[in-house]
Amino acid sequence: MEESAKKGTGTGTGTVSSLAEMFPAEDAQKAVKRVQEKLAEIQSELHRVRGFISDNSNLINLVQKLPEQLHHNIIVPFGKAAFFPGRLIHTNEIMVLLGEGYYAERTSKQTVEILKRRGKVLESQVESLKAIMRDLKAETSFFDSTASEAAEGLLEITEDYVEENSTERESESGPPKEDAPSFSEADKAKVSVEDEEYAHIMSRLDELEKEELEAECGNETVEENEQVAVDDEEYARLMSRLDELEKEELEAGDEKIKDDFNKLSDQKSLDTNLKHSEGYQSRELLEQTKDKKSATEEFLSKCDPQKDLTNQLNCMGLAVQSVPEDEKSHGKSLLHNVIKSSPPEKALMHPEVKENVQPAPLSRSEVPAQSSKPGFDAQKAFTGSIIERTHNTHINSSQESATSSQSPSSQPSKPVSRFKMQRR
Amino acid sequence: MDRFRQEKLQRYEEFVDKRLKPDLVHAIAERDKVFEQQKTFSDLRKNIENLEKNSVTSLRTLVNLGSEVYMQADVPDTQRIFVDIGLGFHVEFTWFEALNFISQREERLARQIEEYTRLIASIKAQIKLVCEGIRELLQLPAERSVQGPVF
């Protein structure tokens, strides 16, 4: 024992103590005796309850049988030491104790139900007693084994668990005690299992991280790329369509436009946001009238990418929402005027409106009305593929330089007046 | 000498604990049983006297079927009563005979109780005696102050 104790302390990780020191055999025996006494007590209790159960079932049988006859000849007890010969009468009327000195008059059937319920309670009592007995038996066996082990002079080795190194050391130093080998083996197995698990978990984590990154990148870059391509296509279509529309517009004449924009300028009661959009449109028209090709190109470059423009368009969307509501009072909304007066404007306006005024049902209802007009086939190109928000934001970021260069012209503070000046 | 006294002390104590005290407990239990019998017979006597006084010839009562479940029972004739005379024998008596028997029985039971009481007293005295012997062996001073006022 001394030797083994030295070995144990030699590794510096554990202590060895004899089991008899911690749990003397006599104490363990005493514990066994005590628990066995308790067990016997419970056994007698169980016996008592079992007796109750058998009494109860007998009584149930009796109560079931009694009403079969009108009366039974019995001896009627008279005190404890005497009885009379007599007979049971009213065999279907039974007084049952409910508890606390209260009795109920029941029929045989009802009494049987009550007795069955009592029987169930007794059964549950038996079950609980059995459970207690099982526990006590386990306890006695444990104490017994402890006592016998202590008597045999078994030693207990307490060793702190150390990561990985401990396995090597243990395997090197070999089993210091009789029950050490199993312990070290188990330890080793545990460590290896843990390593495997660790690797597995890490790889899984890496996978998940990758997925997450991909998902993020996909959202940003892939969609952006797609949108850029889509946008380029649309620009080309838009440009070609604009060219056509411009030609038509030339024919339609400047007169109409002029009238409309006079109207626009007259409606100063509209809020400032609306004014911005008006200004934007008027400025566009102005440019278109001046130099069609350059104007359309400029417009294209301006209308989609610019931040200010998006703001304006948003404002326009608000305007479009609000305007149709007062359509009756105003006669015709500002936007309508603009759109109807100039077909090229319409073409330009439509995607914008659609982009920014998606939630407004009235503005949407406007769109099909416009598309039904002849000579507006190019609308399909716009309705099909434009993706609202990402579209604008992307181009904003990519063409920031264009914005800065054109910012002075794109945000006219008093666009209507300037247009007027230039027109007149 | 000392060892001898030690052994004697132990023997006395064992006698008190393992013989006299269980005897005492047993005697008391027996006396309680007799007391109980006395009570049952005095109850029976009272009941019979009651029947006599009210001249009840037929009786309707509740019989315990077990587990406090009662059923009505009818006794057509109360004149004849069966009384337990001991050892599982029951004798059919008339009321007068029964009362006679009960009085005899009660007398006997009273005698028994007296016997048991005497027995209990003697056992108590023996216990006291042995305790006194132990005290002498240990050469402790007599507990006169306690003894005086008790009896």
Side-chain angles (χ1 to χ4, degrees):
Chain A
M1 180 194 150
E2 284 285 311
E3 207 181 329
S4 62
K6 267 181 200 167
K7 252 188 187 172
T9 50
T11 56
T13 53
T15 54
V16 176
S17 55
S18 89
L19 201 63
E21 269 174 43
M22 295 164 76
F23 308 107
E26 306 91 65
D27 282 8
Q29 290 288 0
K30 266 185 208 165
V32 172
K33 211 178 264 177
R34 207 168 56 82
V35 174
Q36 266 166 352
E37 271 169 27
K38 227 188 264 174
L39 198 64
E41 235 171 73
I42 293 201
Q43 218 141 16
S44 69
E45 177 75 16
L46 189 69
H47 188 72
R48 206 167 61 89
V49 174
R50 284 244 169 88
F52 286 157
I53 288 175
S54 70
D55 281 359
N56 200 56
S57 56
N58 284 342
L59 189 60
I60 287 172
N61 286 336
L62 182 66
V63 168
Q64 274 172 338
K65 247 191 278 171
L66 281 176
E68 285 171 8
Q69 284 183 313
L70 206 58
H71 53 80
H72 300 264
N73 286 323
I74 55 157
I75 49 168
V76 181
F78 190 70
K80 274 177 186 168
F83 61 81
F84 293 115
R87 58 183 192 178
L88 283 175
I89 52 167
H90 301 288
T91 50
N92 204 22
E93 289 173 27
I94 297 166
M95 293 278 271
V96 185
L97 178 72
L98 302 176
E100 299 295 320
Y102 286 92
Y103 289 86
E105 197 170 301
R106 314 295 290 169
T107 64
S108 157
K109 231 178 200 176
Q110 289 165 330
T111 305
V112 167
E113 279 168 20
I114 288 171
L115 291 176
K116 276 181 179 166
R117 284 197 284 278
R118 279 189 195 169
K120 268 179 199 165
V121 173
L122 289 172
E123 292 286 349
S124 72
Q125 272 183 23
V126 166
E127 285 305 309
S128 67
L129 284 174
K130 272 183 182 171
I132 292 168
M133 272 177 71
R134 271 199 297 277
D135 285 357
L136 286 174
K137 271 175 188 166
E139 223 173 300
T140 47
S141 67
F142 171 72
F143 279 135
D144 254 338
S145 65
T146 308
S148 61
E149 279 168 7
E152 283 167 17
L154 204 76
L155 298 179
E156 180 162 298
I157 301 166
T158 320
E159 213 164 279
D160 293 330
Y161 174 67
V162 184
E163 298 271 331
E164 284 162 44
N165 294 342
S166 65
T167 55
E168 291 170 25
R169 199 183 298 154
E170 272 196 345
S171 56
E172 279 171 15
S173 65
K177 269 296 304 166
E178 44 193 346
D179 52 355
S182 65
F183 173 72
S184 66
E185 270 177 11
D187 217 356
K188 246 197 254 177
K190 207 179 169 187
V191 168
S192 64
V193 164
E194 270 179 359
D195 282 344
E196 265 176 43
E197 263 178 8
Y198 180 73
H200 181 72
I201 288 168
M202 285 310 286
S203 65
R204 179 77 190 126
L205 276 173
D206 287 341
E207 269 177 43
L208 287 172
E209 261 174 52
K210 254 185 216 168
E211 276 179 17
E212 226 171 284
L213 275 172
E214 271 175 31
E216 276 175 20
C217 290
N219 278 341
E220 283 170 12
T221 59
V222 175
E223 273 180 39
E224 270 179 30
N225 290 335
E226 278 175 12
Q227 272 163 26
V228 168
V230 166
D231 288 343
D232 287 341
E233 273 181 23
E234 271 163 19
Y235 287 155
R237 278 189 211 152
L238 199 62
M239 269 169 65
S240 61
R241 182 64 194 150
L242 271 172
D243 288 340
E244 284 174 22
L245 290 169
E246 273 159 25
K247 280 173 194 168
E248 284 177 11
E249 199 206 351
L250 273 175
E251 290 168 13
D254 293 338
E255 284 299 313
K256 240 186 180 178
I257 299 164
K258 210 177 172 182
D259 288 340
D260 283 323
F261 279 92
N262 285 337
K263 270 186 207 164
L264 284 181
S265 61
D266 290 336
Q267 287 185 346
K268 290 198 175 176
S269 60
L270 285 167
D271 60 341
T272 50
N273 287 335
L274 203 56
K275 273 177 191 171
H276 275 277
S277 65
E278 283 169 40
Y280 163 67
Q281 283 158 16
S282 58
R283 183 183 45 74
E284 259 175 13
L285 284 171
L286 163 76
E287 282 167 349
Q288 281 171 1
T289 47
K290 272 162 92 180
D291 186 0
K292 308 284 170 172
K293 281 227 167 177
S294 62
T296 46
E297 268 180 15
E298 226 178 85
F299 164 71
L300 273 174
S301 59
K302 266 187 252 166
C303 77
D304 285 316
Q306 283 166 6
K307 253 186 200 168
D308 301 332
L309 199 59
T310 54
N311 287 337
Q312 281 177 352
L313 292 175
N314 283 331
C315 297
M316 257 180 61
L318 285 172
V320 170
Q321 272 189 351
S322 62
V323 164
E325 283 175 4
D326 337 341
E327 221 169 342
K328 291 255 166 151
S329 59
H330 281 280
K332 279 199 170 184
S333 78
L334 188 69
L335 213 61
H336 272 198
N337 287 338
V338 177
I339 288 164
K340 281 181 181 172
S341 63
S342 56
E345 270 290 315
K346 220 192 288 172
L348 292 170
M349 279 299 294
H350 177 68
E352 288 160 16
V353 169
K354 222 208 155 196
E355 275 170 28
N356 295 298
V357 201
Q358 199 74 318
L362 275 168
S363 65
R364 249 190 230 171
S365 67
E366 260 182 318
V367 172
Q370 287 166 10
S371 66
S372 66
K373 284 187 179 180
F376 199 68
D377 353 331
Q379 212 218 322
K380 276 181 191 171
F382 301 127
T383 51
S385 52
I386 288 174
I387 300 157
E388 287 84 10
R389 269 175 69 241
T390 45
H391 167 89
N392 281 330
T393 50
H394 160 63
I395 291 156
N396 285 339
S397 59
S398 66
Q399 299 192 358
E400 200 78 50
S401 58
T403 315
S404 61
S405 65
Q406 289 168 358
S407 55
S409 63
S410 68
Q411 259 204 324
S413 58
K414 283 275 182 179
V416 178
S417 58
R418 199 204 276 171
F419 172 70
K420 267 184 181 174
M421 276 165 63
Q422 283 168 348
R423 288 297 292 176
R424 282 164 192 174
Chain B
M1 165 66 186
D2 212 22
R3 215 178 114 254
F4 170 72
R5 209 165 63 184
Q6 282 272 331
E7 274 178 12
K8 208 163 198 178
L9 266 178
Q10 199 175 353
R11 260 173 36 215
Y12 281 4
E13 277 179 8
E14 266 180 19
F15 181 62
V16 170
D17 281 345
K18 293 194 175 161
R19 183 67 201 271
L20 292 178
K21 281 188 178 173
D23 274 0
L24 183 63
V25 170
H26 180 74
I28 289 171
E30 287 295 314
R31 195 177 61 163
D32 284 351
K33 268 187 205 166
V34 181
F35 268 132
E36 216 172 295
Q37 275 195 328
Q38 196 186 30
K39 192 178 177 301
T40 59
F41 275 104
S42 77
D43 280 351
L44 184 61
R45 188 164 54 84
K46 270 179 205 160
N47 280 329
I48 291 169
E49 277 168 2
N50 234 335
L51 291 176
E52 248 181 348
K53 200 161 59 183
N54 297 322
S55 58
V56 179
T57 52
S58 71
L59 190 69
R60 188 165 285 192
T61 183
L62 286 168
V63 181
N64 191 351
L65 303 177
S67 303
E68 305 298 314
V69 175
Y70 293 89
M71 193 174 273
Q72 287 182 48
D74 185 52
V75 180
D77 181 19
T78 56
Q79 300 291 329
R80 306 262 176 102
I81 183 168
F82 290 80
V83 180
D84 181 10
I85 57 160
L87 296 173
F89 289 100
H90 291 77
V91 177
E92 188 177 348
F93 285 133
T94 60
W95 285 351
F96 177 75
E97 284 166 346
L99 285 173
N100 202 3
F101 168 76
I102 289 164
S103 61
Q104 280 183 38
R105 187 72 197 258
E106 274 184 321
E107 213 176 287
R108 213 179 93 75
L109 287 172
R111 259 208 318 277
Q112 269 187 347
I113 286 167
E114 211 174 306
E115 263 174 45
Y116 275 117
T117 308
R118 226 177 269 146
L119 178 65
I120 288 163
S122 78
I123 293 169
K124 278 185 176 170
Q126 279 174 345
I127 290 170
K128 198 133 282 179
L129 182 74
V130 177
C131 282
E132 202 70 8
I134 292 167
R135 189 188 62 76
E136 265 185 29
L137 279 171
L138 288 169
Q139 289 167 333
L140 291 169
E143 301 167 31
R144 284 280 163 232
S145 57
V146 184
Q147 291 287 327
V150 173
F151 290 108

